[in-house]
Structure formats: C-alpha cells, structure tokens
Amino acid sequence: MSEAKPVKLINLTIEGRPVTVPDGTSILEAAKTAGILVPHYCYHPGLPVAGVCRMCLVEVEKFPKLAPACATAVGEGQVVHVHSEKAREARKSVLEFLLINHPLDCPICDQAGQCELQDYTFQEGRAESRYLEPKRFNPAEDFGGDVLYVTNRCILCTRCVRFMDKVAEEPVLNVSERGDRAVIGIHPEHDLSHNAWSGNVIDLCPVGALISKDFHNKARAWELERTASVCPNCTQGCNMIVETRDDVVVQLRPRANADVNQFYMCDPGRLNYRWMNRRDRAEVPYVRGGASASGARGRDLEPADWDDAVRAAAAAIDGSRAYVLASPMLPNEALSLLARLVERTGGHGVFTVRTGEEAPLPGVPDLALRTDRAANVRGAEMFGFRRVAARDALAGLRTGDVLIVADEELAGEVVRAPNGLRTIVIGTTVPAWAAGADVVLPIANTLEEDGTFTNVQGRVQRFQQAKSAPALARPSWAVLGDLLAAVGDGAGYWAVSDVFAALAGSHPAFAGMSYDTLGLRGLPTAEQADAEPAALAESTS
C-alpha cells in the first residue's frame, strides 16, 4: 500500500482574516472557510469551473488585474480584498450588464425570494438602470421532463449545460447563438425527459430561468416551511429538504451530503411526494366490537380510545406467535420494536418491496436511483426481517398465528389472509382487505415523525418531522412501544431518541450511535465503517 502524500498548506489573508487551506484551493472556497461569501453565479462546487459570469472578481495585491475567485488558486502570502472599491465597482458593472435584458418580473417568478441575482443586486448593484432601450423578449421553452426554460431570465452561467455534459453525461444542452443573442439551446432530437436526473438543472439555476413545471405558481419562497429529511423513495437515501405550505408537501429538493448524494437527487424521488399528502388516512384507532357504549360486542370495527385499542391488540397477541409483515418504509426505530415483538413471541417477520429499473448518475460514483423503491430495506434485513415475493407475503402463516401488518397495503397479487385469522393493522391507511381486522392502530408516515433509515450503503441517517399527523394518529415508535409494554416488554418510550438509544445498545451495528452523534449527515454502521478502510486500502495498494 502506498503512503498518502502530506498535504501542503497555504497561508493567505482574505479581507484581513488569516486563512490556511490546502494547496490548489480556489480563492472562492478559501474565503468560505473564513465565513466570507464571494458573490458568484457560474461557480458551483459540484461542477467544473467555467469562469464565465465574472461576478466573483476580487482584488489580489500585486496582481495587475482583478482575478476571478472561482478560477484562481490560492498562493502563499496572498492578500485578497473581496469588498474593495475596485472589486465592488467591477461587480456592479456585471450586475448592470446582466439586468440589461433580464425582466424585473419578480412578482410572478418562482425564484423570487431565493434568487441570487435579486440578492446581489440588492446587496451591491446600482439603484437605477441607465439602459433606456426595450428589453429583449423570447418565449419560454419546454425542455421536456419537469423543466421549463424561461429564456428572458437566463444569465448564461452554463451550470445546466455543464451538469448535463459532465455529471449526467448526456450533453443535450448547449449555448446557442453568440453575443447578445445567446441562449441555452437543446438538442433538436432530444429533451430532458429521458434522463432521470435532469431536474437537478432547476436547483442549479441561480436565477428563475429553469423552473419546475410541477412547482410552478404553487407557492412563494417566503410561504414555505423547510425541514431536513431523507428521501424515502429508494434505498439510496438522498438527503433532501421537504418544503411544505400550510402543512402540505409542495416540493422536495436535494440537500448536500458528500457521503450520499453530493448535491443531487433523481426526478422520480423529487416528484414522488403526493402519497405524503394522502387524504384517505387512518385517523383513529378501531377495535372490532370493543367500543360499544352498551357493552355489547358487535361485529364491526368501531372507534376506540388508544388505551382500549392497545389493550385489545395485546390481548390478540397473548399466547400466539406473531407473524409480522412490515413495510421497509418504516424507520429503524419501528422495525427494531417489531423485531422485539417477533422475538418475544417466537414469531416470524417478513417484508416485500416494490422494485424498478436502476438509474445511476454517471458523474457521481455510487449514486443511483436504486432498484428497491423503499427507504429502509437494509434496516429491515438488519433487524431480521426476511425478504419475500409479494405473492408469498402470507405463505408462512400458521394456524393460531396473529397477523400483524405494519404499514403494508398488500396490493396486487398478494393472497388473501385466511378466514378467522386474528389480524392487527398498524398503518398510515386502512386498505380494503383490512376491513376484517380485529384492531387498527393509526400511525404517522415518515414525514410526520422523527426517525432514522439505514441506506443501501449501510449509512444511518436521521429525518425530521415536516408536517402534522392526521387526527389521532401517533408516531410508529410510540404505538409499538406501548404495544410492547402491554405484552410485558418494557414501559414504553417518551422520545424517539430513547428508542434509538435502546436499539443502539442492543444491536452491535449501531453501537456508539445516538441522535446527537448522527447529526443531519448520518454515520456508517459498524460493519460499513470497517469495510470502508479495507476498500480504501485495496484501492490504494
């Protein structure tokens, strides 16, 4: 194995602050380490440097001209002035040039409130335009997929062109025409609908030139609540921001994490959010014939309070083997509690998962829309649940078992549960087949509670509650903790972090982890942490 070369460090001064960074770092990135923002448009840390917008011009002592901070490497002893009069005057001219044809349609632009052109113009642009001619007008163009190109707003930073060329490796975008007629063009025989990652050009656009058709005119930036979360739509576990308005999810956007998804997320993931707003939710607990005011037991499911419902579920389990069909969309906390229930009753746990075609992002290693379209397949396997085909979901049931279905709808070709079987439904919805259940315990979906997923690479990641659960639905970990307590295992939990602490204390793969140490970027499980140095050693030997 070859030894790693020592990193050469460079010392310089930026805006009077001493900075030490590795050799080869750009002035723009070095300034970030000192908490200094150099205005920029074309630069993005996930894309090749282009140096075309000239917005990041800074003054470097002993340099004859202003230098683009994104394309200039740091040097020993450099003295950099970001906010000198000379640098600010240059950026003011750049902003004036960009606004010659850019329409001031902020009241209708989806980017208003989070537009970098708007921000920098307010920060250091001219108060009034000196341009008297009519602005250029070009019609908006449908680029395919979810992307609409509003030509008039484009500042030709070329982030979208570089992403499709160097990261997606499908160079269908280009800069067409020249000079003041230049626009972003698209290959005449292709569009963005054929690439599962093309929606990222919307996030990369620093102004409102590339917009999402799905999000168009839904909400303004300042109306949205934003929550750090993890995409549950496949096993990659891309970090994301959930944007809600009035407790309704309106958009999902990528959240940077260099260990999982860099700066990106796929289109199927970002657009598959409507199930998070479903109206046909399980809202109150139900017990078969157990909530009659007269005391007589009926044949129908009737609303019950939580204590009665949990007691009824525990009574159904008493003395029986629990056959648990669990959804791999459930968090680690819920799956660990279900696994304890399986172990306590000598039962059996299985799961099924929907699959689809895998779609890698060529320019980012180990990032793909994964075949398994559920968040926590790895977690389900780690807690002992066995993967089965959908048609075999109930094949292992024995006479006398109690069937516990945890947030699984049993759709498609699944066989019906045997008549007379005691069934407990713990779910976000009550599917039609579950009308014969004995107890229904409504739970929150993954956006309505806190928890963790383990992704395909064995990384444990936290997600946070982004919206309210409907009516009397409770977090999955709270319901299962109470159910375990009712069958004699523990005393329930008051906080999700306590559930995670319990599973970390009993499962070696999670040893040493806590919600504090996980943070919002996650940590690899013990097995994964051991595997990564070995893989690194092999690759460098």
Side-chain angles (χ1 to χ4, degrees), residues 17-57:
R17 302 180 194 180
V19 176
T20 301
V21 292
D23 190 17
T25 305
S26 69
I27 291 176
L28 191 150
E29 286 292 340
K32 286 184 183 177
T33 66
I36 301 167
L37 173 64
V38 179
H40 58 275
Y41 293 123
C42 69
Y43 174 77
H44 188 281
L47 300 173
V49 172
V52 297
C53 76
R54 319 309 286 180
M55 189 62 191
C56 66
L57 292 173

Side-chain angles (χ1 to χ4, degrees), residues 9 26 30 32 83 127 158 161 214-215 242 265 269 314 325 335 418 426 432 448 458 477 489 492 520 541:
L9 298 177
S26 69
K32 286 184 183 177
H83 299 300
T158 71
V161 177
D214 182 77
F215 181 68
V242 180
M265 106 183 252
L325 174 60
L335 289 171
I426 304 171
E448 297 162 351
W477 57 267
D489 185 346
L520 290 175
S541 60

